[in-house]
Amino acid sequence: AQSVSQHNHHVILSEAASLELGCNYSYGGTVNLFWYVQYPGQHLQLLLKYFSGDPLVKGIKGFEAEFIKSKFSFNLRKPSVQWSDTAEYFCAVNPFYSSASKIIFGSGTRLSIRP
Amino acid sequence: GAVVSQHPSRVICKSGTSVKIECRSLDFQATTMFWYRQFPKQSLMLMATSNEGSKATYEQGVEKDKFLINHASLTLSTLTVTSAHPEDSSFYICSASRTSGGSPYNEQFFGPGTRLTVL
């Protein structure tokens, strides 16, 4: 079945540790890819997006993600996390064959940062 | 820019009553609005897609008679949960999209969500 998979449900890190959250999708063809963040009690915010071009995209707050087409992956990275990065992170996919705006979310990864 | 609001932010109702949730794009005209449902510690599940002036498109498994969507204008969509039951308790989130100059993808902007509790 077509899906978006985030294999890490809960990640716990210490401040200054490096972060990598995995995301794989199973949609064929061209896709647009996103990472969203949901801080406690707040609404979803777009961290970064990939439409085309350089597969390494940089987003807000020092986050970046790399699109590897052969692996159907779009992993999120940050070299040094901060306590304020504690949040829920969602990978999302917009398959080109779907409507122009429809996006499918992964199950989310809860990131907890120890001060 | 691109602010989306929802009202109310929280509602508690008795079983069997109907609840209406509003979603507004405050500073842009939304070509399409989406309604999602989020269970605790889970992802957003798309319920339906609505375009102004036309019937909403519901995802498989979503009861259209249960979750009525009206998209009366380019800045307002409403979701009515009819004859609500405790299992309808959830976090409902809307998003609105607008054209992104030249891009075939229309970026979505999310509202803050509405927490529905059915007693």
Side-chain angles (χ1 to χ4, degrees), chain A residues 49-80:
Chain A
K49 61 188 177 188
Y50 172 80
F51 286 179
S52 64
D54 189 343
L56 183 62
V57 292
K58 296 192 184 298
I60 60 172
K61 305 187 181 188
F63 286 91
E64 65 178 31
E66 184 175 12
F67 170 51
I68 302 180
K69 189 174 182 179
S70 60
K71 294 184 178 181
F72 295 87
S73 70
F74 190 55
N75 292 354
L76 180 72
R77 299 195 291 249
K78 186 170 183 178
S80 176

Side-chain angles (χ1 to χ4, degrees), chain A residues 3-89:
Chain A
S3 64
V4 181
S5 299
Q6 292 181 245
H7 303 294
N8 310 107
H9 296 294
H10 188 192
V11 173
I12 304 172
L13 295 172
S14 298
E15 275 195 311
S18 64
L19 169 73
E20 180 159 2
L21 300 181
C23 173
N24 289 89
Y25 63 94
S26 59
Y27 295 90
T30 305
V31 294
N32 295 317
L33 298 158
F34 310 85
W35 275 96
Y36 285 88
V37 61
Q38 189 174 32
Y39 296 103
Q42 296 188 30
H43 63 290
L44 277 172
Q45 299 174 44
L46 181 66
L47 265 183
L48 50 78
K49 61 188 177 188
Y50 172 80
F51 286 179
S52 64
D54 189 343
L56 183 62
V57 292
K58 296 192 184 298
I60 60 172
K61 305 187 181 188
F63 286 91
E64 65 178 31
E66 184 175 12
F67 170 51
I68 302 180
K69 189 174 182 179
S70 60
K71 294 184 178 181
F72 295 87
S73 70
F74 190 55
N75 292 354
L76 180 72
R77 299 195 291 249
K78 186 170 183 178
S80 176
V81 295
Q82 300 172 305
W83 179 79
S84 58
D85 293 324
T86 295
E88 189 88 20
Y89 292 81

